[in-house]
Each structure stands twice: as C-alpha cells, then as structure tokens.
Amino acid sequence: MIIELVDHADHEDAEQLAALLRSRGGSPHIVRWPGRWLILETAQDIDETWLRQLPIVARVVGSTDPHPLSGRKFQSVSTMIEVGGRWIGDGTFLVIAGPCAVESREQLAATAAVVTSAKASMLRGGAFKPRTSPYSFQGLGVRGLELLAEERLRSGLPVVTEAIQPKDVETVAEYADVVQVGARNMQNYALLGEVGRCGRPVLLKRGLAATIQEWLLAAEYVMNAGNPQVMLCERGIRTFETASRFTLDLAAVPIVKRLSHLPIIVDPSHSAGRAFMVPSLTLAAAAAGADGVIVDVHNDPASALCDADQALSSEEFKSTMVDLERVLAVLGRHVA
C-alpha cells in the first residue's frame, strides 16, 4: 500500500509513522515525493482502517501492484511532464530528433538546423555511448555535452542525452534537460537511483529482452528515489525475427497506458535498425497512441560514426514530419 502524509508533514513525521508501522510488523519505505511524503508499506496485514484514522495520514492507496508508484491505482490521471516549455503526456506528440552520437560541432550544428527547421520538439545526441563492441565510437564525453549545450542556446530546443554510469549523472544533468537511461542500463539499479535523485526528467528505455513488468519496476527505482518525472521508451525487443534489428512492440503502448500513468514514447530507429522502416513506424506509433517518438537524424548518414544504417537524412526527416502532421491531424493532435 501507499500511505500519503498530510501536506504539513515533515521527515520526522514520516520517520515516526515508519517506526510505528515497524512495531506492528510492517516493512515501511519512506519516499520524498515533490511537495509531500509517502510511505510504501509492503506488509499485507497492516490495518488500512487504522491508518486512515491517523491525523498525519492524508490518503491510503491499497495496491498489490509490484510497481505501485507508477501504477494507475496510485494516480489515475496521466502524468504530464514539462521540459523547456513543452509538455509530454498532455495529448500533444513529442518528437525528439538528432544524431545517435555527437561527433563534432559541425555535424551537430548541421543536424540541429534540420531538426529545428522541421519543427521537432527536442534535440537528441549521445555524448556517452555504450556500444556492443569496445572498438566502436564511444562518444566525445563532456565535450559532447558542451556542444549539445551550445546547440540548445542556438536552437532553443531542450536537450536529451544519456548517462551510462552513476558517477556521470551529475555532470550530464548539468547540461541535459532530460537524462536518458539506455536499454542496456535499464536494470543498472545504481544508475537508476542516481537519475532518480538528479532532479531532471528521465527517459527510460526498455531493455533488449525486458518484460513490461520489469520495465515498470525499473521506473519504480527512479520514482522510489523521489523523481516522478519518468518517460518510458519502447525501443524494440529481441525476438527470433532477423529482418529488423529488433521487434518493435507497439502493443506495449496501450498496455502501458492501462497499467501506468507515465507517458510512453517510441524509438522507431533502434527497433528497425534500417532507415527505410523509420517513417512507417513513426506514423504507427502515433496511431497506437504513443506520446511521442525519438528518431535518429544525421546530416550525412553515410558518414555517421554510430548506427549509420538507421539514421534518417535531412530530406527523409522533413518528409516524415510532414506525413506525421497529417496523421496527427486526423487524430486531433499536433507536434508539441
């Protein structure tokens, strides 16, 4: 169950109630939520009626969900997250676009110009790159973050970039508007705790072979650390199919929306692995009810140092945005 304390409660009040619960055989966990204190109680035999009568308790949510904070029982209204004046989860459609990896000032500036002119919502770009091969391009590190910050000033677009180690989170959060946790780090629990404490919205990608429940439990680690600003990202899962890089699980979109109040976006680039599929999957994500997409765009895909095959060219991205606006108009939506 989730026990929500009254507005004027402080940490001492939370500690006292937790001690009282332990004395009754409970296993409480205190969470500092924005503007309030929560206690998660996992014991099944605590009397909810008794709890509701305590003056310090504002609300008790009985829930058997393994992911109570992200579940609809705790919050029936969908979460909306504000980033740089743009909203995620409010019915508009978020388009995050840019290169898979920041390679140089010239490459990022050229790609950001395309992304901006096509009216994308946010700029993506990897400064730290976790690669399957240790010999592949690993990113520019802090220099990449600095270049992203330059482009944010020039374009006005919020920046989304990945943190791959707990020790990097504070630095990434200084430069990024949204901190991304990649698929290979979805169950890096130390990293999830750090991004939960960083104060930035978090984009959490689904693991390569993760179930939806495992994915939501990863989000729970971030939220448990006090950060409710989590965006889930479906990026394809590993199956027996080899025609695409991964299998994009669009069924996850309506399933997540039923189970959770968190917004969900789709990554058509990493799931497809090949650029020709990305426009169709982008439109399919909109039709499925996703809150947005994150797309790889490169000013010169043939020369890209990371995932060249899946990157859209400037013209391909512009064309995709035109088609996307048409589909969204039919749905009564528009790009954020």
Side-chain angles (χ1 to χ4, degrees):
M1 74 180 74
I2 303 174
I3 306 161
E4 182 178 331
L5 304 192
V6 295
D7 289 344
H8 65 264
D10 55 23
H11 185 249
E12 184 177 349
D13 293 320
E15 289 284 5
Q16 289 178 352
L17 180 53
L20 184 56
L21 287 165
R22 280 190 289 269
S23 72
R24 289 175 168 247
S27 301
H29 184 89
I30 298 173
V31 177
R32 180 65 173 110
W33 212 240
R36 52 191 162 150
W37 290 92
L38 305 176
I39 296 179
L40 272 66
E41 178 54 73
T42 57
Q44 301 298 313
D45 54 354
I46 299 296
D47 185 356
E48 291 185 28
T49 302
W50 163 72
L51 276 171
R52 289 188 176 93
Q53 294 173 346
L54 297 178
I56 201 65
V57 174
R59 183 169 67 121
V60 178
V61 180
S63 175
T64 57
D65 287 342
H67 43 82
L69 293 175
S70 62
R72 286 280 182 186
K73 289 182 181 178
F74 172 55
Q75 182 177 313
S76 60
V77 177
S78 296
T79 287
M80 295 189 293
I81 301 171
E82 189 270 332
V83 181
R86 294 157 178 83
W87 287 91
I88 303 97
D90 68 341
T92 59
F93 194 81
L94 186 76
V95 178
I96 306 171
C100 185
V102 178
E103 300 166 9
S104 68
R105 173 182 279 116
E106 293 73 23
Q107 168 252 8
L108 182 61
T111 306
V114 172
V115 167
T116 304
S117 66
K119 297 183 169 51
S121 316
M122 297 185 190
L123 175 66
R124 66 156 298 170
F128 298 94
K129 297 299 301 180
R131 305 299 300 280
T132 302
S133 170
Y135 310 114
S136 299
F137 178 62
Q138 304 288 316
L140 299 179
V142 173
R143 180 57 182 154
L145 296 175
E146 293 170 347
L147 294 174
L148 285 166
E150 287 180 13
E151 285 306 320
R152 176 175 53 204
L153 288 174
R154 184 177 293 110
S155 67
L157 293 180
V159 164
V160 181
T161 193
E162 184 174 353
I164 63 175
Q165 299 182 81
K167 68 181 182 64
D168 296 328
V169 171
E170 184 176 354
T171 301
V172 172
E174 288 178 15
Y175 292 92
D177 298 283
V178 176
V179 177
Q180 176 181 309
V181 176
R184 290 168 177 79
N185 271 316
M186 189 205 79
Q187 290 179 307
N188 182 339
Y189 301 121
L191 178 63
L192 296 178
E194 282 300 313
V195 298
R197 291 184 284 272
C198 77
R200 295 289 191 190
V202 175
L203 176 65
L204 177 62
K205 288 196 169 187
R206 183 179 181 181
L208 313 185
T211 66
I212 289 175
Q213 179 168 298
E214 289 167 340
W215 186 19
L216 290 173
L217 283 169
E220 203 77 7
Y221 270 89
V222 178
M223 301 175 80
N224 182 275
N227 188 352
Q229 301 182 93
V230 179
M231 293 173 266
L232 300 168
C233 180
E234 164 57 43
R235 49 82 68 210
I237 52 176
R238 184 164 285 159
T239 69
F240 57 83
E241 183 55 71
T242 58
S244 57
R245 187 180 182 188
F246 295 96
T247 298
L248 182 59
D249 183 12
L250 283 178
V253 175
I255 291 171
V256 163
K257 289 211 170 268
R258 176 177 288 264
L259 295 175
S260 174
H261 54 84
L262 298 176
I264 176 172
I265 71 170
V266 169
D267 182 345
S269 300
H270 283 85
S271 55
R274 299 179 67 186
F276 81 89
M277 292 183 255
V278 172
S280 295
L281 295 180
T282 297
L283 304 185
D291 295 292
V293 289
I294 179 167
V295 180
D296 281 12
V297 182
H298 197 287
N299 64 303
D300 182 15
S303 68
L305 299 179
C306 178
D307 291 338
D309 290 344
Q310 69 191 36
L312 294 181
S313 68
S314 302
E315 291 307 314
E316 288 170 335
F317 180 63
K318 291 176 182 178
S319 175
T320 300
M321 288 294 286
V322 171
D323 291 341
L324 176 62
E325 288 281 14
R326 290 172 178 160
V327 170
L328 290 173
V330 173
L331 300 171
R333 303 173 68 187
H334 60 86
V335 174

